[in-house]
Amino acid sequence: MSVEIVPLGDSAIRISFGNEIDESTHHQINRFLHNFTSFKIDGVIECVPTFTTIAIFYDSSKIRYRQLEKIVYSVMESAKELKLYSPIVYRIPVYYGGNTGPDLQFVAEYNRISEQEVIHLHSNQEYLVHMIGFVPGFPYLGGLDKKISTPRLEIPRAKVAAGSVGIGGGQTGIYPSEVPSGWRIIGIIPITLFDIEKNNPSLLSAGNYVSFFPVDWDEFLAIKEMAASKNYKVLTYMKGEEIT
């Protein structure tokens, strides 16, 4: 992997880990961040990771670019051997199709497969949460099967419902709130991904995984009611474990 370290304006440094959006790149970024943040460097304000880069913002009155660059190179080297915790896989229920999944048929027809095959392929995968962004709690998920990769809408919808599950090109994601979207909406989840009243508002976080499982409409409504009354617990397991 080719790593590039360059200035970003006059108070930030950008580290580029190549241009491939994949798990290897993501894990390299995670290892670096875990190691770098453990030093609690005076003058560093914030670290902002994306799919392939990290931007480190700093106070130039406390630390100079060359000083920070030297630390970054040192951390980069030591992070190569760092072993991280086993990530969590969150099992998220989805009601596919119907009025809340209006593009399921299009995804099937575009890829020349059945709607049931789309559901099977979409729910038979563990998706890496690359990052949270766009709107609070929105997970950018990697690992979509190429057999259901589908281009975005030519004209985005003015809004999609909170909980909508979409496919945009080779990615999939879940909309935590009602927002505009150009992605193909194939279903909806009955739980809340982002709750400002919680200490950790976002259910999901970068580095963990999501696995979907289909539910019918009655199950969807039952889970939605339990979730609204705080009586639904999202199923989880450690990645690598067998689901029982």
Side-chain angles (χ1 to χ4, degrees), residues 5-69:
I5 300 172
V6 296
L8 183 63
D10 60 359
S11 58
I13 184 171
R14 187 184 70 183
I15 311 165
S16 176
F17 295 79
N19 54 18
E20 294 292 327
I21 301 176
D22 55 27
E23 290 198 22
S24 176
T25 301
H26 178 83
H27 293 322
Q28 181 74 1
I29 289 173
N30 260 12
R31 281 194 292 270
F32 175 86
L33 282 175
H34 183 84
N35 208 19
F36 183 80
T37 54
S38 69
F39 285 93
K40 302 186 185 301
I41 300 164
D42 187 35
V44 170
I45 300 170
E46 184 181 17
C47 296
V48 181
T50 66
F51 285 116
T52 60
T53 66
I54 303 171
I56 302 173
F57 295 87
Y58 61 92
D59 183 342
S60 58
S61 68
K62 294 182 179 180
I63 189 168
R64 298 297 182 184
Y65 174 82
R66 292 301 176 190
Q67 291 175 291
L68 184 56
E69 182 186 47

Side-chain angles (χ1 to χ4, degrees), residues 21-23 26 30 49-51 128-132 139-143 171 205-208:
I21 301 176
D22 55 27
E23 290 198 22
H26 178 83
N30 260 12
T50 66
F51 285 116
L128 172 64
V129 181
H130 280 277
M131 60 182 181
I132 303 293
Y140 284 91
L141 305 177
Q171 291 182 278
S205 57
N208 288 315

Side-chain angles (χ1 to χ4, degrees), residues 116-211:
Q116 282 304 313
E117 185 66 8
V118 173
I119 294 171
H120 172 75
L121 291 171
H122 189 264
S123 62
N124 191 33
Q125 186 67 277
E126 291 177 343
Y127 297 97
L128 172 64
V129 181
H130 280 277
M131 60 182 181
I132 303 293
F134 169 55
V135 293
F138 180 89
Y140 284 91
L141 305 177
L144 183 72
D145 195 302
K146 292 181 180 179
K147 294 177 182 177
I148 54 175
S149 177
T150 310
R152 294 166 173 80
L153 293 164
E154 292 184 8
I155 301 175
R157 291 184 173 93
K159 62 181 179 180
V160 297
S164 292
V165 178
I167 290 176
Q171 291 182 278
T172 187
I174 315 166
Y175 291 89
S177 54
E178 186 180 277
V179 292
S181 171
W183 287 25
R184 305 285 179 174
I185 305 303
I186 62 171
I188 193 167
I189 67 170
I191 64 173
T192 300
L193 289 189
F194 189 84
D195 186 348
I196 195 64
E197 295 181 359
K198 293 184 177 180
N199 291 331
N200 295 313
S202 181
L203 172 67
L204 307 175
S205 57
N208 288 315
Y209 288 75
V210 168
S211 175

